[in-house]
Amino acid sequence: MTGYDAIVLGAGAAGMMCAASAGQRGRRVLLLDHAEEPGKKILISGGGRCNFTNRDTAPDRFLSANPHFARSALSRYTAQDFIALVDRHRIAHHEKTLGQLFCDGSSRQIVALLRAECDAGGVDLRAGHRITNVSRADAFTVQTDHGAFTAPALVLATGGLSIPKMGATGLSLDLARRFGLAVVEPRPALVPLTFGEDWLALMRPLAGVSLPVEARTGRAAFREAMLFTHRGLSGPAILQVSSYLATGAPITLDLLPGTDAASWLLSRKRDRPRAEARTVLAEHLPARLANGLAETRLAHLARPVGELPDRALRDVAAFLNALTLKPAGTEGYAKAEVMAGGVDTRALDPRTLAARDVPGLHVIGEAVDVTGWLGGYNFQWAWSSGWCAAQSV
Ligand code: FDA
């Protein structure tokens, strides 16, 4: 079958945005997905409420081998543009924290918005199509288990490798390589960290406990909540630093951000000398954590704070304000919110996401080596890159 101007592979966030926008520019667009319904990751996103963008979107909140690459697309189609679209569809939303915008109702509303926009653009959306081969002669030909389709433009929008049980595949990366585009080694990002038995003795019994921390690695620092898990650490602060964490590198945690633990503990030694040190700690830390520390790492916390030498209190304070830990690894793509790495931006035009050396080919969304922070940034990249590619196909 012929007659399309563009074929978009992947009816996720970026693919639907691209297909709808290109369709509304008068392009005849075929949108193919192997899943039975489009936008499955959108449905589960943001705990079912889809954190669809971030008011504070700025290029420095995205990781890439080329940190300037995302700037152009993010400024051509902005967070405000997407918010205006959400408002046009009368989808009520609210800011939860740190500029993060969520639907008041359900993620389904965002998928419905994208489907309505695709309909308005006359997009031929075909779910449940397994892609068996893609080739390029004068035009691109996509073979599927439901027949072959041809178009002069092809958009790779099948996303990243995270959550394979939801149907994530490396198709866009494989095809990009086949067409000669370099790929920056992909890795799980926004992912919980795992620890060895030495730390798990503390962490495992605390699974479910959360507290505000500042987590850092290298020059990246995030002051948000941290959550203990059965395998180690998660929560926004940990997910954020995980994206920046080099293999084998440590993270540093401030368990009392904004509090000088040494002066606080020394003042408690004067005010409450008979209180157990762990009881004092529980003034600022979850009691279960204070007890866990006394049981597994700092036995002297079970003694009255007045009996501890200043030196010991300073050691406790250093532990609390600058705990350096080496993760054993991550929970991998099964738990990662996104994939970092992807199609090398040097192969792409930042304005149009078009491959420089393969006429008609575009790569958008998570498949590109652009990874946002936690908090709506990854969807904004999907909308921005999808819209920009649509202006050029
Ligand atoms: P996306 O994954 O959306 O779409 C890819 C599409 O391609 C899918 O429909 C898939 O079925 C299809 N596909 C894959 N392989 C194929 C193949 N071989 N053949 C045919 N089709 C194929 N981000 C954010 O900003 N705010 C949030 O609240 C969240 N929440 C969130 C929660 C969870 C649990 C996860 C896993 C991720 C998030 N994210 C997020 C990240 C966000 O979901 C992600 O960055 C975007 O969906 C990426 O958009 P893409 O369109 O690139 O891929």
Side-chain angles (χ1 to χ4, degrees), residues 89-110:
H89 283 257
R90 300 182 187 287
I91 299 174
H93 54 85
H94 60 280
E95 178 176 335
K96 196 165 166 193
T97 175
L98 301 170
Q100 301 167 6
L101 298 188
F102 287 76
C103 299
D104 291 356
S106 148
S107 306
R108 293 206 168 273
Q109 296 172 287
I110 299 295

Side-chain angles (χ1 to χ4, degrees), residues 75-385:
S75 67
R76 291 187 75 202
Y77 189 89
T78 65
Q80 279 313 321
D81 290 326
F82 193 76
I83 295 166
L85 180 63
V86 168
D87 289 340
R88 271 205 302 285
H89 283 257
R90 300 182 187 287
I91 299 174
H93 54 85
H94 60 280
E95 178 176 335
K96 196 165 166 193
T97 175
L98 301 170
Q100 301 167 6
L101 298 188
F102 287 76
C103 299
D104 291 356
S106 148
S107 306
R108 293 206 168 273
Q109 296 172 287
I110 299 295
V111 177
L113 172 159
L114 293 164
R115 289 192 83 144
E117 291 292 318
C118 282
D119 289 346
V123 173
D124 187 357
L125 165 61
R126 301 198 187 193
H129 277 48
R130 198 164 62 78
I131 292 156
T132 53
N133 192 35
V134 176
S135 57
R136 176 173 171 263
D138 294 341
F140 293 94
T141 298
V142 178
Q143 313 265 357
T144 76
D145 56 353
H146 290 69
F149 306 93
T150 303
L154 180 72
V155 182
L156 305 182
T158 62
L161 293 167
S162 61
I163 324 280
K165 71 167 195 259
M166 284 190 63
T169 71
L171 181 66
S172 292
L173 305 184
D174 296 342
L175 291 175
R177 283 193 194 97
R178 187 122 58 82
F179 288 122
L181 278 57
V183 170
V184 175
E185 187 59 26
R187 61 179 198 283
L190 297 179
V191 62
L193 300 178
T194 58
F195 288 84
E197 274 308 319
D198 52 339
W199 283 103
L200 278 184
L202 169 70
M203 294 169 178
R204 197 184 284 120
L206 295 174
V209 171
S210 82
L211 71 158
V213 302
E214 183 174 286
R216 31 173 88 242
T217 184
R219 283 192 300 182
F222 295 91
R223 194 184 278 199
E224 286 190 65
M226 177 179 90
L227 174 72
F228 289 97
T229 73
H230 291 285
R231 295 184 187 186
L233 298 174
S234 185
I238 297 299
L239 299 181
Q240 298 278 37
V241 282
S242 76
S243 299
Y244 288 86
L245 192 63
T247 310
I251 60 166
T252 301
L253 299 176
D254 184 345
L255 303 176
L256 291 170
T259 299
D260 177 349
S263 3
W264 166 56
L265 291 174
L266 291 169
S267 77
R268 284 297 175 271
K269 183 177 174 177
R270 292 190 296 275
D271 310 340
R272 300 178 63 192
R274 284 201 289 234
E276 276 185 15
R278 60 179 160 185
T279 315
V280 170
L281 254 49
E283 286 175 20
H284 282 303
L285 293 178
R288 279 173 65 191
L289 173 57
N291 285 326
L293 288 173
E295 282 154 22
T296 63
R297 313 269 342 166
L298 303 167
H300 47 295
L301 291 179
R303 288 169 52 199
V305 66
E307 288 180 14
L308 298 181
D310 289 1
R311 184 177 29 79
L313 289 176
R314 285 210 174 81
D315 288 348
V316 174
F319 185 99
L320 298 176
N321 277 143
L323 174 58
T324 298
L325 299 172
K326 234 185 205 175
T330 76
E331 294 209 28
Y333 289 118
K335 291 282 172 67
E337 195 161 306
V338 289
M339 171 193 84
V343 173
D344 193 325
T345 58
R346 283 176 298 189
L348 304 173
D349 180 329
R351 220 179 122 73
T352 60
L353 286 299
R356 294 185 191 280
D357 297 330
V358 187
L361 183 68
H362 294 70
V363 193
I364 57 175
E366 207 177 305
V368 181
D369 173 32
V370 171
T371 307
W373 282 6
L374 186 76
Y377 297 96
N378 285 295
F379 278 138
Q380 186 57 44
W381 171 247
W383 318 136
S384 296
S385 59

Side-chain angles (χ1 to χ4, degrees), residues 50-66:
C50 188
N51 178 195
F52 55 81
T53 191
N54 195 296
R55 277 192 200 289
D56 304 328
T57 298
D60 64 355
R61 282 142 194 236
F62 294 81
L63 292 80
S64 170
N66 174 1

